[in-house]
Amino acid sequence: MAVASLDLVVPVIAAPMAGGPSTPALVAAVAEAGGMGFLAAGYRDADQVAAQIRAVRGLTARPFGVNVFVPGDPALGPAALGPAALGPAALDRYAARLEPVAARLGVKPGQPRWDDDDYRAKLALLTADPVPVVSFTFGAPAGQDVARLRQAGSLVMITVTSVSEAAAAVDAGADALCVQGAEAGAHQGSFRDDPAGRPGAAATPLLPLLHQIRATAAVPLVAAGGLMSGADIATVLAAGAGAAVLGTAFLCCPEAGTSDTHRRALLSGDYTGTGFTRAFTGRTARGLVNAFVREHGEYAPAGYPWVHHLTRPIRAAAAEQGDADALHLWAGEGWRRIRQLPAADLVATLAP
Ligand SMILES: Cc1cc2nc3c(=O)[nH]c(=O)nc-3n(C[C@H](O)[C@H](O)[C@H](O)COP(=O)(O)O)c2cc1C
């Protein structure tokens, strides 16, 4: 499928947002408004993704996408991650550090473990029952998997955060790249989160990154990171992007599945900024700087998904109990400009 066949009336893509915010209702509302939305397959099993795909199809006939996390190498776990990770003992120490916050919320830290996020089953689902766009984050899938998805009729997009990742994604057969800048909310989609570097040390702001990748990669690009308005979108279109990808801007739409705790924090005026941290998942991500980030960020081992599973019960309880101090409050740099609008109205205001 060619990018042009996506038939975007408005060059706005609602980013995949795993952990709840992306819902079939949000995806369908953005699609019906002339943009395109992504379901987030991350943290769900293939059956749950299949159910969400059915739900979108029941709401709209317009194109939509599904985003899949590429699993890392289990051999690159905390035992092998080098000085910044300090091996499995670092996980034990981090778990011990989190005991008090877990106890305050009435839970225990989770069991740190590796998993592949049901990757093969998701690929099998998407190959057997294709959707218009499949995007990948945290790596480039194997070329043969990309070929199978394209053969099935899907457009394949890969998130990249550097020129070298863009080259690898094109080599793997990507039809298009999602260029994600340092301003972006939640995880950097980098293929590797170098444990030797501070969180975000390698992240490049969107516009320079877009210019660099445009000069080297001969496939269509979409741009993500800190975009909140029609004027922001016009800037990335002028820099060569075919469409703009917005996550944070959609977090407070009524159709989003964002937790009330997260929404309230975003709108509260209580926070002074966002920052990169590995505190919640062991992988670099941008969120509002809260007590959890301040107290634990510098002690978090660079081990995803081990740390993700370790903190999961804490984060679930924090969301449930309205405790924004212990929750991952993912947000991009543009968070102060979030608007509480139905998704269709937001898309209308975003037309550049
Ligand atoms: C709450 C949240 C969850 C996210 N989850 C995913 C995800 O599952 N997959 C992915 O590729 N990107 C994810 N992202 C990143 C977005 O795809 C996108 O790069 C980012 O939202 C763009 O920056 P912005 O938030 O400033 O608009 C997430 C972003 C947010 C805010």
Side-chain angles (χ1 to χ4, degrees):
M1 177 182 280
V3 177
S5 63
L6 292 178
D7 188 25
L8 298 184
V9 181
V10 188
V12 171
I13 297 176
M17 293 189 281
S22 290
T23 60
L26 179 64
V27 170
V30 173
E32 288 292 308
M36 198 191 86
F38 273 92
L39 288 172
Y43 317 135
R44 297 186 190 282
D45 66 27
D47 288 343
Q48 293 169 326
V49 177
Q52 287 214 317
I53 292 172
R54 281 195 299 277
V56 174
R57 286 179 178 145
L59 295 169
T60 183
R62 290 186 49 83
F64 65 99
V66 174
N67 172 256
V68 177
F69 291 169
V70 177
D73 182 348
L76 289 180
L81 280 172
L86 302 174
L91 278 175
D92 293 342
R93 274 199 299 277
Y94 197 54
R97 241 199 114 68
L98 301 184
E99 287 287 354
V101 61
R104 171 160 65 75
L105 292 159
V107 294
K108 290 240 161 268
Q111 202 49 45
R113 62 185 170 86
W114 184 86
D115 68 359
D116 74 350
D117 204 36
D118 214 16
Y119 183 64
R120 298 296 337 163
K122 285 174 194 169
L123 288 186
L125 166 73
L126 293 167
T127 309
D129 184 12
V131 297
V133 184
V134 179
S135 77
F136 291 93
T137 299
F138 303 145
Q144 67 210 33
D145 291 328
V146 174
R148 266 191 223 113
L149 291 165
R150 297 184 75 235
Q151 185 72 32
S154 296
L155 184 147
V156 175
M157 189 184 289
I158 299 179
T159 297
V160 297
T161 62
S162 68
V163 168
S164 60
E165 289 173 2
V170 171
D171 278 354
D175 294 290
L177 305 180
C178 175
V179 177
Q180 187 198 40
E183 302 89 339
H187 289 110
Q188 284 284 295
S190 317
F191 293 9
R192 181 165 179 271
D193 184 14
D194 182 2
R198 289 193 65 76
T204 308
L206 179 58
L207 278 177
L209 185 63
L210 198 51
H211 288 301
Q212 288 166 22
I213 293 179
R214 179 139 188 261
T216 54
V219 297
L221 308 178
V222 299
L227 308 175
M228 302 298 287
S229 67
D232 295 344
I233 294 171
T235 307
V236 295
L237 297 184
V245 180
L246 289 76
T248 300
F250 285 99
L251 280 173
C252 292
C253 292
E255 297 91 342
T258 314
S259 71
D260 288 342
T261 311
H262 192 177
R263 281 177 201 262
R264 272 199 300 275
L266 289 165
L267 299 170
S268 66
D270 290 348
Y271 297 86
T272 51
T274 65
F276 283 123
T277 186
R278 296 189 181 108
F280 296 105
T281 65
R283 185 190 274 279
T284 295
R286 182 182 289 285
L288 296 176
V289 178
N290 62 1
F292 196 97
V293 174
R294 278 194 303 273
E295 287 164 23
H296 308 302
E298 63 179 290
Y299 303 95
Y304 176 90
W306 290 267
V307 177
H308 162 77
H309 290 297
L310 178 65
T311 66
R312 198 171 194 171
I314 297 170
R315 293 182 285 125
E320 181 72 30
Q321 297 172 30
D323 186 338
D325 285 344
L327 186 61
H328 56 294
L329 302 171
W330 296 154
E333 282 189 349
W335 106 96
R336 288 179 210 273
R337 292 185 285 152
I338 287 184
R339 306 180 62 182
Q340 293 185 80
L341 289 176
D345 295 350
L346 181 58
V347 171
T349 72
L350 291 172

